[in-house]
mmCIF file of all heavy atoms in Angstrom:
data_model
loop_
_atom_site.group_PDB
_atom_site.id
_atom_site.type_symbol
_atom_site.label_atom_id
_atom_site.label_comp_id
_atom_site.label_asym_id
_atom_site.label_seq_id
_atom_site.Cartn_x
_atom_site.Cartn_y
_atom_site.Cartn_z
ATOM 1 N N MET A 25 0.845 -1.179 0.000
ATOM 2 C CA MET A 25 0.000 0.000 0.000
ATOM 3 C C MET A 25 0.889 1.242 0.000
ATOM 4 O O MET A 25 1.796 1.342 0.814
ATOM 5 C CB MET A 25 -0.904 -0.018 1.224
ATOM 6 C CG MET A 25 -1.710 1.262 1.398
ATOM 7 S SD MET A 25 -2.801 1.180 2.806
ATOM 8 C CE MET A 25 -4.232 0.537 2.008
ATOM 9 N N PRO A 26 0.645 2.212 -0.875
ATOM 10 C CA PRO A 26 1.491 3.393 -0.934
ATOM 11 C C PRO A 26 1.293 4.309 0.269
ATOM 12 O O PRO A 26 0.209 4.386 0.833
ATOM 13 C CB PRO A 26 1.079 4.096 -2.219
ATOM 14 C CG PRO A 26 0.043 3.255 -2.864
ATOM 15 C CD PRO A 26 -0.313 2.153 -1.941
ATOM 16 N N ASP A 27 2.352 4.996 0.622
ATOM 17 C CA ASP A 27 2.311 6.021 1.662
ATOM 18 C C ASP A 27 1.801 7.296 0.996
ATOM 19 O O ASP A 27 2.370 7.758 0.012
ATOM 20 C CB ASP A 27 3.737 6.212 2.208
ATOM 21 C CG ASP A 27 3.846 7.276 3.271
ATOM 22 O OD1 ASP A 27 2.895 8.048 3.437
ATOM 23 O OD2 ASP A 27 4.890 7.333 3.922
ATOM 24 N N THR A 28 0.745 7.886 1.508
ATOM 25 C CA THR A 28 0.152 9.046 0.850
ATOM 26 C C THR A 28 1.085 10.246 0.834
ATOM 27 O O THR A 28 0.965 11.104 -0.022
ATOM 28 C CB THR A 28 -1.172 9.431 1.525
ATOM 29 O OG1 THR A 28 -0.912 9.689 2.905
ATOM 30 C CG2 THR A 28 -2.208 8.353 1.363
ATOM 31 N N ALA A 29 2.030 10.303 1.752
ATOM 32 C CA ALA A 29 2.952 11.441 1.777
ATOM 33 C C ALA A 29 4.030 11.322 0.713
ATOM 34 O O ALA A 29 4.584 12.315 0.276
ATOM 35 C CB ALA A 29 3.602 11.565 3.153
ATOM 36 N N THR A 30 4.350 10.099 0.280
ATOM 37 C CA THR A 30 5.484 9.926 -0.636
ATOM 38 C C THR A 30 5.149 9.144 -1.885
ATOM 39 O O THR A 30 5.911 9.162 -2.836
ATOM 40 C CB THR A 30 6.633 9.200 0.082
ATOM 41 O OG1 THR A 30 6.195 7.892 0.412
ATOM 42 C CG2 THR A 30 7.105 9.944 1.301
ATOM 43 N N ASP A 31 4.027 8.432 -1.909
ATOM 44 C CA ASP A 31 3.668 7.535 -3.007
ATOM 45 C C ASP A 31 4.706 6.445 -3.222
ATOM 46 O O ASP A 31 4.855 5.930 -4.321
ATOM 47 C CB ASP A 31 3.442 8.305 -4.317
ATOM 48 C CG ASP A 31 2.141 9.078 -4.276
ATOM 49 O OD1 ASP A 31 1.243 8.684 -3.512
ATOM 50 O OD2 ASP A 31 2.032 10.072 -5.006
ATOM 51 N N ALA A 32 5.463 6.096 -2.200
ATOM 52 C CA ALA A 32 6.439 5.004 -2.272
ATOM 53 C C ALA A 32 5.942 3.873 -1.387
ATOM 54 O O ALA A 32 5.153 4.091 -0.476
ATOM 55 C CB ALA A 32 7.801 5.490 -1.774
ATOM 56 N N PRO A 33 6.379 2.642 -1.653
ATOM 57 C CA PRO A 33 5.995 1.547 -0.751
ATOM 58 C C PRO A 33 6.434 1.880 0.676
ATOM 59 O O PRO A 33 7.458 2.529 0.885
ATOM 60 C CB PRO A 33 6.772 0.359 -1.305
ATOM 61 C CG PRO A 33 7.102 0.723 -2.715
ATOM 62 C CD PRO A 33 7.219 2.212 -2.749
ATOM 63 N N LEU A 34 5.677 1.428 1.644
ATOM 64 C CA LEU A 34 5.935 1.768 3.033
ATOM 65 C C LEU A 34 7.317 1.345 3.521
ATOM 66 O O LEU A 34 7.882 1.968 4.398
ATOM 67 C CB LEU A 34 4.861 1.163 3.935
ATOM 68 C CG LEU A 34 3.498 1.829 3.860
ATOM 69 C CD1 LEU A 34 2.503 1.055 4.699
ATOM 70 C CD2 LEU A 34 3.566 3.270 4.312
ATOM 71 N N ASP A 35 7.893 0.289 2.969
ATOM 72 C CA ASP A 35 9.167 -0.196 3.460
ATOM 73 C C ASP A 35 10.371 0.373 2.697
ATOM 74 O O ASP A 35 11.504 0.173 3.095
ATOM 75 C CB ASP A 35 9.207 -1.723 3.414
ATOM 76 C CG ASP A 35 8.954 -2.275 2.022
ATOM 77 O OD1 ASP A 35 8.448 -1.530 1.158
ATOM 78 O OD2 ASP A 35 9.257 -3.459 1.806
ATOM 79 N N ALA A 36 10.149 1.089 1.609
ATOM 80 C CA ALA A 36 11.253 1.632 0.814
ATOM 81 C C ALA A 36 11.654 3.006 1.354
ATOM 82 O O ALA A 36 10.805 3.860 1.572
ATOM 83 C CB ALA A 36 10.853 1.751 -0.650
ATOM 84 N N PRO A 37 12.941 3.241 1.563
ATOM 85 C CA PRO A 37 13.362 4.565 2.013
ATOM 86 C C PRO A 37 13.159 5.610 0.905
ATOM 87 O O PRO A 37 13.277 5.301 -0.280
ATOM 88 C CB PRO A 37 14.841 4.398 2.340
ATOM 89 C CG PRO A 37 15.271 3.153 1.669
ATOM 90 C CD PRO A 37 14.050 2.317 1.443
ATOM 91 N N LEU A 38 12.846 6.802 1.307
ATOM 92 C CA LEU A 38 12.690 7.920 0.372
ATOM 93 C C LEU A 38 14.045 8.619 0.300
ATOM 94 O O LEU A 38 14.420 9.370 1.200
ATOM 95 C CB LEU A 38 11.604 8.881 0.856
ATOM 96 C CG LEU A 38 11.367 10.118 0.007
ATOM 97 C CD1 LEU A 38 10.888 9.718 -1.393
ATOM 98 C CD2 LEU A 38 10.352 11.016 0.672
ATOM 99 N N LEU A 39 14.794 8.345 -0.748
ATOM 100 C CA LEU A 39 16.150 8.852 -0.855
ATOM 101 C C LEU A 39 16.206 10.289 -1.351
ATOM 102 O O LEU A 39 17.169 11.004 -1.070
ATOM 103 C CB LEU A 39 16.986 7.939 -1.765
ATOM 104 C CG LEU A 39 17.085 6.491 -1.282
ATOM 105 C CD1 LEU A 39 17.885 5.655 -2.260
ATOM 106 C CD2 LEU A 39 17.683 6.427 0.115
ATOM 107 N N ARG A 40 15.204 10.723 -2.099
ATOM 108 C CA ARG A 40 15.168 12.093 -2.595
ATOM 109 C C ARG A 40 13.751 12.637 -2.410
ATOM 110 O O ARG A 40 12.851 12.282 -3.155
ATOM 111 C CB ARG A 40 15.563 12.144 -4.060
ATOM 112 C CG ARG A 40 15.559 13.577 -4.582
ATOM 113 C CD ARG A 40 16.219 13.680 -5.888
ATOM 114 N NE ARG A 40 17.593 13.225 -5.689
ATOM 115 C CZ ARG A 40 18.559 13.430 -6.536
ATOM 116 N NH1 ARG A 40 18.336 14.069 -7.631
ATOM 117 N NH2 ARG A 40 19.770 12.972 -6.320
ATOM 118 N N PRO A 41 13.550 13.491 -1.415
ATOM 119 C CA PRO A 41 12.204 14.024 -1.190
ATOM 120 C C PRO A 41 11.766 14.932 -2.343
ATOM 121 O O PRO A 41 12.594 15.508 -3.046
ATOM 122 C CB PRO A 41 12.332 14.810 0.116
ATOM 123 C CG PRO A 41 13.782 15.100 0.245
ATOM 124 C CD PRO A 41 14.516 14.011 -0.464
ATOM 125 N N THR A 42 10.472 15.036 -2.499
ATOM 126 C CA THR A 42 9.874 15.837 -3.572
ATOM 127 C C THR A 42 9.165 17.042 -2.978
ATOM 128 O O THR A 42 8.981 17.139 -1.754
ATOM 129 C CB THR A 42 8.850 14.997 -4.347
ATOM 130 O OG1 THR A 42 7.798 14.632 -3.425
ATOM 131 C CG2 THR A 42 9.474 13.741 -4.943
ATOM 132 N N ARG A 44 6.067 17.520 -3.263
ATOM 133 C CA ARG A 44 4.850 16.955 -2.671
ATOM 134 C C ARG A 44 5.121 16.492 -1.235
ATOM 135 O O ARG A 44 4.324 16.724 -0.332
ATOM 136 C CB ARG A 44 4.355 15.799 -3.529
ATOM 137 C CG ARG A 44 3.076 15.204 -3.031
ATOM 138 C CD ARG A 44 2.575 14.152 -3.985
ATOM 139 N NE ARG A 44 1.344 13.593 -3.444
ATOM 140 C CZ ARG A 44 0.647 12.679 -4.049
ATOM 141 N NH1 ARG A 44 1.035 12.211 -5.217
ATOM 142 N NH2 ARG A 44 -0.446 12.209 -3.493
ATOM 143 N N PHE A 45 6.249 15.807 -1.038
ATOM 144 C CA PHE A 45 6.625 15.360 0.305
ATOM 145 C C PHE A 45 6.840 16.570 1.217
ATOM 146 O O PHE A 45 6.410 16.568 2.370
ATOM 147 C CB PHE A 45 7.894 14.505 0.228
ATOM 148 C CG PHE A 45 8.347 13.982 1.567
ATOM 149 C CD1 PHE A 45 7.783 12.833 2.104
ATOM 150 C CD2 PHE A 45 9.338 14.628 2.293
ATOM 151 C CE1 PHE A 45 8.186 12.354 3.341
ATOM 152 C CE2 PHE A 45 9.747 14.163 3.526
ATOM 153 C CZ PHE A 45 9.177 13.014 4.056
ATOM 154 N N ALA A 48 3.559 17.798 2.423
ATOM 155 C CA ALA A 48 2.645 16.785 2.951
ATOM 156 C C ALA A 48 2.476 16.855 4.469
ATOM 157 O O ALA A 48 1.500 16.347 5.003
ATOM 158 C CB ALA A 48 3.117 15.387 2.551
ATOM 159 N N HIS A 52 7.829 18.077 7.689
ATOM 160 C CA HIS A 52 8.656 17.958 6.488
ATOM 161 C C HIS A 52 9.105 19.340 6.030
ATOM 162 O O HIS A 52 10.272 19.544 5.678
ATOM 163 C CB HIS A 52 7.894 17.297 5.337
ATOM 164 C CG HIS A 52 7.362 15.945 5.635
ATOM 165 N ND1 HIS A 52 6.531 15.284 4.755
ATOM 166 C CD2 HIS A 52 7.516 15.114 6.697
ATOM 167 C CE1 HIS A 52 6.191 14.105 5.253
ATOM 168 N NE2 HIS A 52 6.777 13.984 6.440
ATOM 169 N N ARG A 111 11.500 9.525 10.153
ATOM 170 C CA ARG A 111 10.639 8.347 10.194
ATOM 171 C C ARG A 111 9.836 8.222 8.901
ATOM 172 O O ARG A 111 9.747 7.145 8.324
ATOM 173 C CB ARG A 111 9.696 8.408 11.396
ATOM 174 C CG ARG A 111 8.904 7.124 11.588
ATOM 175 C CD ARG A 111 8.014 7.140 12.806
ATOM 176 N NE ARG A 111 6.884 8.038 12.587
ATOM 177 C CZ ARG A 111 6.607 9.112 13.318
ATOM 178 N NH1 ARG A 111 7.364 9.428 14.346
ATOM 179 N NH2 ARG A 111 5.563 9.860 13.062
ATOM 180 N N HIS A 112 9.296 9.333 8.401
ATOM 181 C CA HIS A 112 8.506 9.280 7.170
ATOM 182 C C HIS A 112 9.376 8.971 5.950
ATOM 183 O O HIS A 112 8.907 8.314 5.012
ATOM 184 C CB HIS A 112 7.753 10.588 6.950
ATOM 185 C CG HIS A 112 6.625 10.784 7.909
ATOM 186 N ND1 HIS A 112 5.866 11.930 7.927
ATOM 187 C CD2 HIS A 112 6.132 10.001 8.905
ATOM 188 C CE1 HIS A 112 4.948 11.836 8.883
ATOM 189 N NE2 HIS A 112 5.093 10.670 9.484
ATOM 190 N N MET A 113 10.624 9.424 5.963
ATOM 191 C CA MET A 113 11.534 9.125 4.846
ATOM 192 C C MET A 113 12.122 7.720 4.979
ATOM 193 O O MET A 113 12.648 7.188 4.013
ATOM 194 C CB MET A 113 12.672 10.151 4.788
ATOM 195 C CG MET A 113 12.221 11.536 4.366
ATOM 196 S SD MET A 113 13.608 12.699 4.300
ATOM 197 C CE MET A 113 14.436 12.114 2.805
ATOM 198 N N ARG A 114 12.066 7.176 6.198
ATOM 199 C CA ARG A 114 12.675 5.889 6.492
ATOM 200 C C ARG A 114 14.190 5.914 6.270
ATOM 201 O O ARG A 114 14.797 4.935 5.850
ATOM 202 C CB ARG A 114 11.988 4.762 5.703
ATOM 203 C CG ARG A 114 10.531 4.565 6.142
ATOM 204 C CD ARG A 114 9.704 3.746 5.207
ATOM 205 N NE ARG A 114 9.542 4.258 3.862
ATOM 206 C CZ ARG A 114 8.700 5.229 3.492
ATOM 207 N NH1 ARG A 114 7.952 5.823 4.384
ATOM 208 N NH2 ARG A 114 8.601 5.600 2.238
ATOM 209 N N VAL A 115 14.773 7.077 6.565
ATOM 210 C CA VAL A 115 16.223 7.281 6.494
ATOM 211 C C VAL A 115 16.620 7.943 7.812
ATOM 212 O O VAL A 115 16.089 9.001 8.148
ATOM 213 C CB VAL A 115 16.622 8.173 5.299
ATOM 214 C CG1 VAL A 115 18.115 8.412 5.279
ATOM 215 C CG2 VAL A 115 16.147 7.564 3.987
#
Side-chain angles (χ1 to χ4, degrees):
M25 173 178 269
D27 178 347
T28 58
T30 65
D31 287 336
L34 287 175
D35 57 344
L38 178 63
L39 301 178
R40 181 167 300 195
T42 63
R44 183 175 179 178
F45 181 83
H52 302 173
R111 187 177 72 240
H112 289 176
M113 290 181 73
R114 294 165 299 281
V115 178

